[in-house]
């Protein structure tokens, strides 16, 4: 048994015996960025609620996937749940947009203002993708989850995730080709 | 026109998400808030459970009290046998009165606070063999009268 395993066993949560505080602490940075991409400025709320569910054992890790995959899935579910709740409570449209992840795409256009044209174009192209296409691109290309893990996190079939991924890449490729064509003219 | 390679596209996607990154909130702080949230939720659950129990108990006692008060125990009925004996005395003239209906009625009103039970009540409380219920005296009295 490694030192790491001993530490995990000593630190495990009462209602989630396969999860430890130390593990969540190690994943915290990635989880926060993921929550931020889903819920914008509500990332802290989403993550806190995620930790509450894990502490209470309402979200229970059964080791059927890696802990990272599982926690990413919980964060996504919590984010969607909070968005639905906000919708039911009929909060303002602006707040809904934030919870739906639109705030991140709004930020894109602002951040692109002082970037080069290619950055602007890629940001605009990313903003034009559907939320699920952006999610699968982030998970697979940026966070290096396999498409199968992406399917677990997004609670979709592997085929659907694959379709989202390839369509998103095709849109971005086309966008880049347009940029090149424009530059050559 | 040069077709962009997948690696280039992946790099651009990576840069895009790098630009999205923002400083993460402090883990210890979020964790502490989550633990406090869990504790307060547990306390609220505990309080709600006791409130439900207390409400159920109050309802049970209330409903039981109403049932007892309305149907089973007419609290202002006279002691068993008193009315029947009173009526018999009047008829027999044992108390020295002449036993007229009018006098008897007046004395009954003035000496007791008893209210005649309704027909429905009498139907419901017909005595079983060996039972002595308040309604029985009333029946006897009516028969005598």
């Amino acid at each position: 048994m490694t030192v790491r395993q001993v530490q995990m066993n000593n630190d495990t949560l009462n209602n989630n015996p396969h999860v430890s505080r130390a593990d969540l602490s190690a994943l915290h940075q990635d989880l926060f960025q993921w929550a931020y991409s889903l819920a914008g400025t509500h990332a802290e709320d989403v993550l806190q609620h995620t930790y509450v569910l894990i502490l209470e054992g309402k979200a229970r890790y059964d080791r059927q996937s890696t802990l990272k995959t599982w926690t990413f899935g919980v964060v996504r579910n919590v984010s969607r749940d909070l968005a639905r709740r906000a919708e039911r409570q009929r909060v303002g449209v602006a707040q809904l947009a934030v919870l739906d992840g639109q705030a991140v795409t709004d930020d894109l256009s602002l951040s692109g203002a002082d970037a080069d044209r290619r950055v602007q174009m890629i940001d605009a192209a990313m903003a034009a993708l559907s939320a699920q296409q952006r999610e699968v691109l982030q998970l697979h290309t940026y966070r290096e989850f396999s498409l199968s893990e992406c399917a677990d996190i997004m609670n979709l079939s592997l085929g659907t995730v694959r379709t989202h991924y390839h369509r998103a890449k095709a849109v971005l490729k086309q966008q880049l080709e347009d940029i090149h064509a424009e530059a050559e003219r | 026109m040069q077709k962009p390679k997948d690696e280039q596209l992946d790099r651009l996607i990576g840069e895009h998400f790098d630009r999205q990154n923002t400083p993460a909130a402090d883990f210890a702080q979020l964790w502490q808030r989550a633990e406090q949230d869990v504790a307060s939720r547990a306390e609220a659950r505990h309080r709600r459970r006791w409130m439900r129990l207390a409400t159920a108990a109050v309802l049970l006692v209330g409903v039981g009290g109403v049932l007892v008060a309305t149907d089973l125990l007419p609290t202002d009925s006279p002691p068993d046998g008193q009315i029947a004996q009173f009526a018999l005395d009047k008829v027999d003239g044992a108390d020295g009165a002449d036993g007229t209906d009018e006098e008897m009625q007046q004395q009954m009103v003035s000496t007791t606070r008893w209210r005649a039970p309704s027909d429905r009540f009498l139907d419901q409380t017909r005595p079983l063999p060996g039972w002595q219920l308040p309604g029985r005296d009333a029946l006897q009295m009516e028969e005598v009268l």
Side-chain angles (χ1 to χ4, degrees), chain A residues 12-183:
Chain A
T12 52
L13 309 177
N14 288 336
N15 295 321
N16 244 321
H18 303 306
V19 183
S20 72
R21 186 182 189 274
D23 284 334
L24 292 174
S25 176
L27 288 173
H28 178 71
Q29 178 71 26
D30 284 344
L31 288 174
F32 187 87
Q33 300 307 337
W34 173 234
Y36 185 76
S37 73
L38 295 170
T41 53
H42 292 261
E44 270 192 46
D45 292 338
V46 168
L47 211 49
Q48 184 184 330
H49 196 62
T50 301
Y51 291 154
V52 166
L53 292 182
I54 293 173
L55 275 168
E56 285 183 330
K58 287 181 178 169
R60 205 175 177 85
Y61 178 53
D62 53 9
R63 290 205 272 196
Q64 291 198 352
S65 55
T66 65
L67 182 63
K68 187 175 180 182
T69 305
W70 178 75
T71 45
F72 266 63
V74 177
V75 167
R76 186 177 185 274
N77 289 341
V78 168
S79 171
R80 298 204 144 213
D81 191 38
L82 290 181
R84 274 195 293 268
R85 259 191 245 173
E87 196 172 357
R88 276 201 294 271
Q89 290 166 3
R90 297 183 179 192
V91 295
V93 175
Q95 199 171 352
L96 266 184
V98 168
L99 287 172
D100 282 342
Q102 295 301 313
V104 175
T105 60
D106 290 345
D107 289 342
L108 291 178
S109 57
L110 293 174
S111 64
D114 54 358
D116 66 13
R117 178 150 180 75
R118 195 175 58 174
V119 169
Q120 280 185 17
M121 292 295 278
I122 200 80
D123 285 353
M126 289 292 288
L129 297 176
S130 74
Q132 287 179 326
Q133 287 173 338
R134 272 199 307 274
E135 283 177 24
V136 75
L137 273 186
Q138 181 180 176
L139 291 171
H140 184 61
T141 309
Y142 185 62
R143 303 207 177 272
E144 298 176 343
F145 285 104
S146 69
L147 284 178
S148 171
E149 287 173 326
C150 293
D152 279 346
I153 292 170
M154 297 172 71
N155 206 18
L156 295 172
S157 72
L158 180 58
T160 308
V161 167
R162 200 171 272 145
T163 305
H164 282 312
Y165 175 67
H166 289 301
R167 281 187 186 161
K169 290 269 290 210
V171 168
L172 291 179
K173 268 184 192 173
Q174 184 61 49
Q175 197 73 38
L176 276 183
E177 283 174 7
D178 291 348
I179 295 169
H180 281 274
E182 206 171 298

Side-chain angles (χ1 to χ4, degrees), chain B residues 27-87:
Chain B
F27 173 76
Q29 200 180 347
L30 266 188
W31 188 258
Q32 192 185 3
R33 266 161 40 191
E35 282 180 328
Q36 285 168 353
D37 202 1
V38 169
S40 63
R41 279 167 183 241
E43 195 183 333
R45 266 199 303 274
H46 185 70
R47 210 168 34 237
R48 276 200 303 274
R49 193 175 299 133
W50 277 109
M51 283 295 286
R52 276 199 294 269
L53 272 175
T55 307
V58 167
L59 277 175
L60 201 64
V61 169
V63 170
V66 168
L67 284 176
V68 167
T70 54
D71 285 336
L72 299 177
L73 289 179
T75 52
D76 54 352
S77 62
D80 291 349
Q82 182 179 318
I83 296 302
Q85 188 58 52
F86 173 78

Side-chain angles (χ1 to χ4, degrees), chain B:
Chain B
M1 180 180 69
Q2 190 185 355
K3 208 171 180 180
K5 293 175 183 173
D6 270 359
E7 295 80 31
Q8 187 192 2
L9 185 57
D10 287 351
R11 186 174 53 78
L12 287 172
I13 292 170
E15 286 172 5
H16 166 80
F17 285 115
D18 277 340
R19 285 193 296 277
Q20 299 301 305
N21 279 347
T22 182
D26 181 45
F27 173 76
Q29 200 180 347
L30 266 188
W31 188 258
Q32 192 185 3
R33 266 161 40 191
E35 282 180 328
Q36 285 168 353
D37 202 1
V38 169
S40 63
R41 279 167 183 241
E43 195 183 333
R45 266 199 303 274
H46 185 70
R47 210 168 34 237
R48 276 200 303 274
R49 193 175 299 133
W50 277 109
M51 283 295 286
R52 276 199 294 269
L53 272 175
T55 307
V58 167
L59 277 175
L60 201 64
V61 169
V63 170
V66 168
L67 284 176
V68 167
T70 54
D71 285 336
L72 299 177
L73 289 179
T75 52
D76 54 352
S77 62
D80 291 349
Q82 182 179 318
I83 296 302
Q85 188 58 52
F86 173 78
L88 287 172
D89 287 350
K90 289 297 173 191
V91 172
D92 295 345
D95 62 345
D98 59 4
T100 60
D101 285 349
E102 192 179 352
E103 185 192 355
M104 196 162 61
Q105 220 168 13
Q106 280 175 354
Q107 288 199 24
M108 279 177 69
V109 171
S110 62
T111 55
T112 70
R113 290 184 295 115
W114 180 70
R115 174 174 54 83
S118 66
D119 289 342
R120 182 168 164 273
F121 176 76
L122 292 174
D123 287 342
Q124 287 174 344
T125 55
R126 294 240 176 253
L128 295 170
W131 280 43
Q132 185 73 18
L133 292 176
R136 187 173 185 177
D137 296 327
L139 279 177
Q140 287 174 347
M141 184 195 71
E142 281 179 355
E143 286 164 10
V144 169
L145 290 175

